[in-house]
Amino acid sequence: MSDGPHKSLNMSRKWKRFAEGAANAAFSREEVAGRLCEGLGEDWTAEVPARLIAELARALEQPEGTLFGEHALPDLRGLLRDPACKGLARRTVEYAQQALREGKVGPGALEGVVDLAVKDRASSRVAQVEEHYLRYADHAGAGAIRAHAQELVGSDAVAQLAKNICDAGREGPIAAREAKRDGVDDGVLLS
Amino acid sequence: MSALAVKIPVTPELRVQVCEQGQTALPGWRRCEVDRDLVFSPEHLESYCLSNASVVGFDLLVLAAAVEYCDKSQHRPEFTWRRQFFLQVPVHELGRWNRPEVVSALEETLDLLTGDWWSVSFVARRKALWGTGQQTLDLPKGAQAVIPYSEGLDSRAVSALLDRELGQGLIRVRMHASPGGKKKRAERFAAVPYKVAAASAESSVRSRGFKFAMIGGLAAHLLGVETVYLPESGQGALGPALITVGQTYPDYRNHPRFLHLAEKFLNALLGHKIRFELPRLWFTKGQTVARYAQEYGASASWAATRSCWRRQRQVSVAGKWRQCGVCAACQLRRLSLHAAGLSEAADIYVWRDLDAPTLAGAADPEFKGAKAGKASREYAIAGVLHLHHLAGFRTQDRYRPARNLAVAHLAEALGESEAEIRIKLYRMLETHEAEWEAYIGSLAPGSFVRKMLAGGVR
C-alpha cells in the first residue's frame, strides 16, 4: 500500500540543516522555522518554473465577481502538462484550480494559493524529518517534532515565505547562513 | 526575497521505442523488444481469449508492459520526483490509437498516476503479430462485472461479498497466477499475461496501478460489461494519496482520480464505456473484513490471504515464506483484523510479537535473517508513521490545505458534491482513528511500536 521507506528519506543539505535544528533545544522556534523556510525555498526553486507565478497571477488576480476564473481553468490544466512543472508546481496549480472553482479570485488570491501549497509541502517535510529521527536518532527527537509540527507549518515565517515568493516572482530563496548552535554555550538567541 | 544561485536538478529523461523483431531503434532511443524485454506468456494470453476482432487488446497489453518497462528502467532523481518519458509503441490499428482524445487522455492518466511527464506516440506495426485464423472464443456467459483479484485480504473479502449480489456474474481477473502451479483449463483471465524484463533501476513502480486498471478494463471490454470493481478499502485506496512524506508524490494507484482518468482513456480507445468502482471506498479494511467474517462465518478464508509485498528470501522462517508483520501493508492487516475482532496464528509473521520492546525481540526465534535488519526497521517505521499520520489527517490543522484539496478532487472524480464527500471521507477516517487508537492501546506499554509514537501521539 505504500512505497515503503525507500523513497522518502533522501534530503538535501538544507533539509538536513532543518532536521538538525528541529529537535535541538538550543535552537529557538524562530530559527527552526527559518530553516524550514530555507528548505521550502529550495524546493520551490527546484520544482517550480519561474514563469508560474505570472501565469497564476493572470488567472487569479481578477476583480472579484468576474466570470474570468472559470475561463482560466483550461489554461491551468495545460500547466499540469508543462514538463517544467514538477511536484510542488503541480500541487500549486491544483490549489489554484480549487480557488478558481470556489470563485476565490482577486487581490490576495495568488498569495492564498501559494500559502496553501507551501504549507502542504511543509507538512510533508516535517513528517519526513520525524521519520528521519526515528531512523537515525531517537524517539524523543521524533516526538518533539511531532509535538511542534503544527506550530512549524503554521508559523508566520512560512506565511511570509509564500508572500515573498509571490512578490519576488522570478527570484530564488533567501539563504542567510546561521552559525552552528549545538555547543554548551549556544542557546536561543536573545532579542 | 533576494536571489540565490540554487542548482536546479536536471530532470532525468528516457526515450523508449518498442521494436518489432529485427528492427533497430532510433538514435538516442532505448530499444525494447516484444518477446525479449516484454515477455508474453502464450498460455496466459490464451486465457484472455483474444481474437482477430480484438487486436486492440493485445496492443493495450503491450502498452501497459512498455509503461512498466519505462517506469522500472529510470531511477528517480535524488531530491525531486519527476522524470520525463518519451515512449513509442507499434500498434495494429494506428487510426484508433492516434486520435488526439486517446493520446491526451493516456498522457494525462500516466502523468497523474506516476508524477512523471509522459509523451506517448504510436506507429503502425510492420508485421501484424496476430495470426489470420479466428480464435475459438470461450468467454464466460452471463458476466456482469469483473474484479482484478490478488492474494490479498481485500480481494478475498470484497469478491466474496460481491458474489452474494452477482453470483456467477462476477468474473475474477487474476493478477497473480493461481497458487499451486496447476493450470485450470477452464479458468479465464488466469494471470497477468506478460512479464517485464527491465533492470529494476527504480522500485517505486507507480505504474502498477496502470497495469491493473488496463487489464481489468480489457477483461470488461472482452466480456462486454461495464463495471470493473476494485477491492481496495478506504485506507488503502486513499491513504497513500492523502499522506505524503518529504518530496514523494501522492500515490494514486487505487484512487478515484486516477481511475476516472483511466476510464476516460479506455472509453476513448475502445469506444466502450468502462466504469471503475470501489465498493468499499468509504469503509476501513477492518469494517470490510468484519463484514466478510460475519456473512461467511466459518467458511470465510481470510487467514490464507497475503498482504505483505516482501520477497520470500527476505521473510522466510524454516523455509516457509511468511509475511513480515511490520511493513505498512502488514500493519494495516494486523490493525484491520484487530478491529474486526479476529486473530491469526502466531507463525503468520516473521516479526510476530509487537509487544516486544525491540524489533529484534519481536522476531520469531527461528528466523535466521537479520532480526532487526536496517530495511525491516525502516519498513516498520514507515508503516507505523503512515497509519498514525492518517489517523491525524481529519483533525490536525497542518493537514487543512491537503484535506480540502482531497475533498475537492474526490468530488470531481466521483461526480458528487464536496459536502457529501466530506461526510463520507471523514466518517471513514474517524473509524480509522478509533481502530488505530484501540490497536495501539492493545499493545504492551513497552512495545517498540508504542515507543515510536512516544512524546506526542496526537
Side-chain angles (χ1 to χ4, degrees):
Chain A
M1 65 166 288
S2 82
D3 296 329
H6 306 298
K7 282 291 139 208
S8 57
L9 254 287
N10 288 338
M11 294 197 290
S12 70
R13 199 175 304 158
K14 279 207 167 56
W15 284 114
K16 283 179 183 161
R17 270 170 51 77
F18 167 63
E20 182 191 16
N24 185 337
F27 287 80
S28 71
R29 285 292 129 205
E30 290 73 23
E31 286 172 295
V32 176
R35 288 186 171 202
L36 173 62
C37 289
E38 286 177 21
L40 291 169
E42 182 182 65
D43 281 0
W44 185 273
T45 309
E47 298 179 34
V48 184
R51 65 180 184 283
L52 186 75
I53 288 296
E55 302 210 26
L56 292 183
R58 252 198 310 281
L60 291 164
E61 293 186 338
Q62 300 299 315
E64 283 179 81
T66 63
L67 293 173
F68 185 83
E70 286 292 320
H71 295 299
L73 277 169
D75 294 341
L76 293 192
R77 203 161 157 226
L79 282 174
L80 293 176
R81 279 291 294 151
D82 185 331
C85 283
K86 298 173 195 165
L88 186 51
R90 189 183 171 100
R91 199 67 164 170
T92 308
V93 173
E94 289 178 347
Y95 279 113
Q97 288 176 317
Q98 187 193 11
L100 284 178
R101 286 197 197 94
E102 292 173 357
K104 290 180 181 166
V105 294
L110 174 65
E111 204 177 298
V113 160
V114 174
D115 184 62
L116 292 173
V118 168
K119 282 188 171 138
D120 188 329
R121 173 57 67 91
S123 180
S124 296
R125 286 295 191 179
V126 168
Q128 180 181 31
V129 172
E130 180 188 353
E131 186 178 331
H132 177 89
Y133 267 88
L134 282 179
R135 277 209 208 180
Y136 302 114
D138 52 36
H139 295 144
I145 288 158
R146 198 176 305 132
H148 293 295
Q150 177 48 44
E151 192 186 329
L152 283 167
V153 173
S155 66
D156 291 344
V158 173
Q160 185 61 42
L161 174 72
K163 189 173 180 325
N164 290 350
I165 285 170
C166 294
D167 290 346
R170 301 179 57 86
E171 291 190 72
I174 295 167
R177 271 197 90 75
E178 295 169 54
K180 192 172 178 181
R181 315 180 73 78
D182 55 3
V184 176
D185 297 329
D186 292 330
V188 174
L189 283 180
L190 299 172
S191 53
Chain B
M1 191 162 68
S2 69
L4 181 84
V6 173
K7 198 175 170 190
I8 298 177
V10 176
T11 304
E13 180 185 300
L14 181 65
R15 292 168 185 264
V16 170
Q17 185 179 357
V18 178
C19 292
E20 298 175 53
Q21 212 171 25
Q23 185 188 352
T24 49
L26 296 163
W29 288 65
R30 183 183 290 192
R31 189 170 185 278
C32 167
E33 188 180 312
V34 176
D35 289 337
R36 187 196 67 178
D37 301 301
L38 316 177
V39 184
F40 283 80
S41 151
E43 180 189 324
H44 290 142
L45 262 181
E46 191 193 328
S47 80
Y48 276 69
C49 311
L50 292 167
S51 72
N52 283 347
S54 53
V55 285
V56 65
F58 183 75
D59 290 338
L60 187 60
L61 293 171
V62 172
L63 171 69
V67 165
E68 184 179 334
Y69 178 90
C70 292
D71 193 16
K72 284 180 170 171
S73 298
Q74 179 63 57
H75 192 53
R76 292 193 183 281
E78 192 177 5
F79 301 130
T80 56
W81 182 267
R82 183 174 257 202
R83 305 162 297 179
Q84 279 185 219
F85 292 110
F86 294 84
L87 172 63
Q88 189 185 86
V89 183
V91 291
H92 290 83
E93 302 166 298
L94 185 60
R96 180 198 283 266
W97 287 88
N98 250 352
R99 284 175 293 142
E101 65 270 27
V102 171
V103 176
S104 65
L106 172 62
E107 290 173 343
E108 200 181 345
T109 304
L110 292 173
D111 281 5
L112 179 96
L113 176 66
T114 68
D116 301 304
W117 184 88
W118 291 81
S119 171
V120 186
S121 58
F122 300 101
V123 292
R125 287 200 74 92
R126 295 172 176 196
K127 187 182 167 194
L129 258 192
W130 220 252
T132 49
Q134 184 73 34
Q135 299 252 327
T136 309
L137 292 181
D138 183 22
L139 287 164
K141 302 280 184 274
Q144 293 179 58
V146 302
I147 184 165
Y149 187 84
S150 71
E151 301 168 280
L153 195 49
D154 275 332
S155 276
R156 183 71 55 91
V158 175
S159 59
L161 292 172
L162 288 169
D163 279 340
R164 286 271 158 101
E165 291 173 38
L166 302 172
Q168 298 294 312
L170 181 69
I171 307 300
R172 287 164 173 75
V173 179
R174 283 192 182 277
M175 293 297 127
H176 300 278
S178 53
K182 274 194 174 176
K183 187 193 169 195
K184 293 177 191 166
R185 190 75 202 152
E187 188 175 8
R188 290 303 171 210
F189 312 115
V192 174
Y194 60 83
K195 283 197 170 17
V196 173
S200 289
E202 175 55 43
S203 61
S204 57
V205 200
R206 292 287 174 86
S207 62
R208 227 179 259 129
F210 187 71
K211 170 162 79 176
F212 294 166
M214 293 306 106
I215 289 174
L218 173 60
H221 173 63
L222 294 169
L223 291 164
V225 301
E226 193 172 288
T227 308
V228 180
Y229 286 111
L230 295 170
E232 206 71 41
S233 295
Q235 295 125 312
L238 302 177
L242 299 179
I243 301 299
T244 55
V245 180
Q247 68 271 33
T248 55
Y249 178 77
D251 186 343
Y252 288 114
R253 80 181 65 149
N254 287 298
H255 192 282
R257 271 189 100 188
F258 158 64
L259 296 170
H260 179 62
L261 292 175
E263 282 172 0
K264 205 168 126 189
F265 164 62
L266 287 169
N267 295 349
L269 176 72
L270 303 172
H272 170 183
K273 188 172 163 57
I274 301 286
R275 199 161 43 89
F276 291 103
E277 279 198 25
L278 288 149
R280 302 297 296 177
L281 180 64
W282 305 119
F283 298 92
T284 63
K285 191 190 276 267
Q287 290 175 308
T288 298
V289 179
R291 187 163 161 215
Y292 173 48
Q294 188 185 8
E295 290 203 13
Y296 279 80
S299 64
S301 54
W302 52 268
T305 60
R306 183 168 189 86
S307 302
C308 188
W309 287 85
R310 301 188 70 188
R311 291 178 188 157
Q312 188 161 9
R313 65 183 164 79
Q314 297 166 321
V315 287
S316 288
V317 177
K320 194 184 165 206
W321 188 17
R322 291 195 185 176
Q323 316 206 38
C324 80
V326 290
C327 68
C330 280
Q331 300 252 14
L332 177 57
R333 176 190 179 92
R334 297 177 93 152
L335 158 70
S336 304
L337 292 174
H338 179 268
L342 301 169
S343 56
E344 292 183 286
D347 64 359
I348 294 279
Y349 303 109
V350 171
W351 285 275
R352 49 196 276 182
D353 180 14
L354 298 186
D355 287 332
T358 62
L359 181 65
D364 189 299
E366 286 186 56
F367 180 54
K368 303 290 184 213
K371 289 191 174 158
K374 187 168 174 271
S376 300
R377 191 165 169 273
E378 290 173 355
Y379 270 106
I381 290 167
V384 168
L385 287 184
H386 175 79
L387 293 168
H388 186 67
H389 289 154
L390 188 61
F393 188 79
R394 182 184 65 93
T395 54
Q396 289 183 12
D397 208 37
R398 63 188 270 210
Y399 293 118
R400 188 177 53 81
R403 203 159 55 221
N404 291 335
L405 191 61
V407 167
H409 283 157
L410 283 165
E412 190 188 2
L414 295 168
E416 296 181 45
S417 73
E418 289 190 22
E420 288 170 311
I421 293 293
R422 197 176 293 274
I423 290 169
K424 291 177 186 174
L425 176 65
Y426 284 15
R427 195 188 299 139
M428 186 277 287
L429 290 171
E430 208 172 343
T431 308
H432 171 70
E433 288 159 36
E435 290 178 1
W436 179 245
E437 198 168 334
Y439 173 68
I440 293 298
S442 74
L443 301 175
S447 151
F448 71 95
V449 175
R450 287 184 74 156
K451 282 186 203 163
M452 285 183 200
L453 302 175
V457 171
R458 287 277 171 87

